[in-house]
Amino acid sequence: MDTEAAPSRQPSVTRVERLAEADIRDVLTLAAAADDTDGAYPISEQVVLHIRQGGAGAAHLLIRNRAGLAGYAYVDTSDEVEGASGELVVHPMRRRRGLGRALVTAALAVARERDPRARLRVWAHGDHPSAAALALDLGFARARVLLQMRRSLREPVPEPRLPEGVTLRPFRPGVDDESWLAVNSRAFADHPEQGRWTLEDLRLRMAEPWFDPDGFLLATDSTGRLLGFHWTKVHGGTSDRGPIGEVYVVGVDPEAHGRGLGKALTVAGLRHLRDRGLDQVMLYVDESNTAAVALYQRLGFARWTADVHYRHG
């Protein structure tokens, strides 16, 4: 989202239900340009997957000018319970010209087609003041904050202390899929996104170039039952930024709580990323999850930036 004085001419927004290959390249190039300028990638992983591989129930909104793609918004209307969700990005060189406002207005119109209340949830990655100002002006309320925290891997990483009888092994694609989904669902039963993952969601990520089963650590007991996991991820470097590891997902079956398994899995994943030669690691955690934030702080993580979820209607 961006704020600006009203433009003399309303930007023209084109809506398509599926992006062409050229459109996909343009959207990802636009997102990369915003990332380089803002230091925060403007589109979530789930939306990037849908952009690359398609997805039902989505509308793609594009603003083009003579220089190419100037703005893009994604709107998913498939959730009839929570209402539509969306994300948007405006090219850094085309901001303060009403493009962000035009995209949000068009996204609200898409949401209104399915819901007279025009309910719409929008992520603003990076918590920029301009996004907050536009959200307030268009009637959005701040609903959720997702912190990004970072830690140096050059600092000492403690040895993981696994509970007695628990061992770690890599994830086996095609073998562990269903058991992992079951534990993930129980571990994140109250999470608005993670706990809803399906087999298709898992397979989409396993098809991504970054997927590495050796960095997907599973904790099992002596019977082979899955107790918890730490799925790590490595983001590739660019010309001015080297690769960075991520604590992608850490989950523990509720039946295995109270044994220190979450901390042990987190530390084991950090050591795996360090052993791959990485010198920095990041993670995302809800600001409201004070217990998790405190755990990560004890492990040397500090707040880096934040993503804000805005809600309309």
Side-chain angles (χ1 to χ4, degrees), residues 22-239:
D23 293 330
I24 294 172
R25 289 193 298 270
D26 289 347
V27 169
L28 297 179
T29 298
L30 170 60
D35 182 24
D36 288 342
T37 298
D38 303 328
Y41 200 76
I43 305 174
S44 67
E45 178 195 61
Q46 182 71 16
V47 172
V48 171
L49 289 172
H50 282 208
I51 289 171
R52 287 176 176 165
Q53 303 182 30
H60 304 273
L61 309 174
L62 304 101
I63 298 178
R64 293 189 177 276
N65 58 23
R66 293 178 181 177
L69 185 64
Y72 167 77
Y74 173 93
V75 186
D76 184 344
T77 60
S78 62
D79 192 335
E80 296 183 2
V81 176
E82 295 292 331
S85 63
E87 300 188 27
L88 65 111
V89 54
V90 174
H91 195 285
M93 301 299 293
R94 301 291 180 269
R95 293 174 181 172
R96 304 191 64 79
R97 303 182 187 185
L99 275 63
R101 182 180 298 271
L103 287 168
V104 176
T105 301
L108 285 169
V110 173
R112 191 172 288 110
E113 295 173 0
R114 296 286 297 271
D115 178 3
R117 294 163 53 191
R119 288 179 300 163
L120 178 64
R121 298 160 290 140
V122 179
W123 278 107
H125 299 278
D127 195 14
H128 297 290
S130 59
L134 181 58
L136 177 65
D137 192 44
L138 293 178
F140 285 79
R142 193 179 177 103
R144 182 182 168 201
V145 178
L146 192 65
L147 300 180
Q148 184 189 137
M149 304 180 75
R150 295 194 179 190
R151 180 199 197 277
S152 171
L153 291 174
R154 294 177 179 173
E155 298 298 321
V157 179
E159 187 80 28
R161 296 182 178 179
L162 293 168
E164 185 177 356
V166 176
T167 57
L168 294 181
R169 65 169 175 82
F171 179 87
R172 299 168 299 183
V175 176
D176 295 317
D177 302 18
E178 296 289 354
S179 59
W180 178 81
L181 282 168
V183 171
N184 179 73
S185 179
R186 291 194 293 272
F188 294 98
D190 298 324
H191 194 279
E193 293 108 11
Q194 186 68 33
R196 300 181 182 181
W197 274 31
T198 65
L199 185 59
E200 180 63 18
D201 291 320
L202 175 60
R203 288 175 175 169
L204 283 173
R205 286 159 178 80
M206 289 195 295
E208 287 292 292
W210 57 261
F211 177 72
D212 176 14
D214 288 337
F216 194 164
L217 307 176
L218 304 186
T220 60
D221 65 14
S222 58
T223 69
R225 182 170 68 97
L226 179 59
L227 303 177
F229 58 89
H230 183 173
W231 189 349
T232 68
K233 180 179 181 179
V234 178
H235 297 264
T238 63
S239 58

